[in-house]
Amino acid sequence: MSVDLDRNVVLRGEAELIERAGRLFLARGDFACAAKDMNTWALPGFREWIVAERRRTRPMPTAHKLYSPEALADEESERRLVEIAQAGARVRICPTPLPHETIIVDWKIAILAGPPERGVREYTVVRSPGVVKGVVSLFRATWETATDLADFRRDRPPALTEESRRILRLLGGGLKDEAAARRLGMPLRTYRRRVAEILTLLDADSRFQAGLRAQEFGLIG
């Protein structure tokens, strides 16, 4: 059963959200999202399908993504956020706590995420024009005070894991990929993928530039 868009509906858990309101995520209008971190709207399995379907839309809808600094707390989350921005989304970081974790579809429908209770969230799908207008106004006001992701990351080091730091040290030591992969005990393909991920996090176009950035941030001794 789909959501009746003429009324506000409370859905319990991601499975019910996907089942009854999943089609809302494919709207062709502008798309806005506010979240504390990368887990609020994870939607495992379904999220990847949404991204693929939206990329098929021409022209691509404008996406505004607003996160707290917690979205950059670990290497994987920060890398995903950088990749989202590289794919064309406008991403900003709000240094103050976000009042609501929200998705806004075409500025006409809002999906509000409640706090987790025993690991399960309630999601309220809101169509009431007055309520949606208030949510949109709050989002836009917060957006205007937030910092673009690139500017926020410019003067701070990425949250690299110890493995990533070891890879950087091996790169700095001039080891060839095959030798470095053997030393780390990982397949060559995995090693090269990890190097590419580290370059993304350091906003580096080359391994040499990555080394300079790592030294600048004090990531390698």
Side-chain angles (χ1 to χ4, degrees), residues 10 57 76 86 102 130 138 163 165-166 216 220:
V10 178
T57 303
E76 181 181 357
Q86 290 176 341
T102 309
L138 184 59
E163 179 184 80
R165 292 170 185 263
R166 289 182 64 193
E216 176 187 341
I220 52 178

Side-chain angles (χ1 to χ4, degrees), residues 63-67 72 81 85 89-95 142-156 203:
H64 298 75
K65 305 249 181 189
L66 183 64
Y67 293 94
L72 297 93
L81 204 56
R90 298 187 62 192
V91 181
R92 290 189 178 182
I93 304 297
C94 177
T142 307
W143 178 267
E144 290 302 318
T145 62
T147 304
D148 284 337
L149 177 64
D151 293 334
F152 187 86
R153 297 181 63 246
R154 183 166 290 115
D155 298 320
R156 62 178 290 280
D203 295 323

Side-chain angles (χ1 to χ4, degrees), residues 25 46 62 68 101 104:
F25 292 85
F46 186 67
T62 301
S68 77
E101 295 190 89
I104 304 171

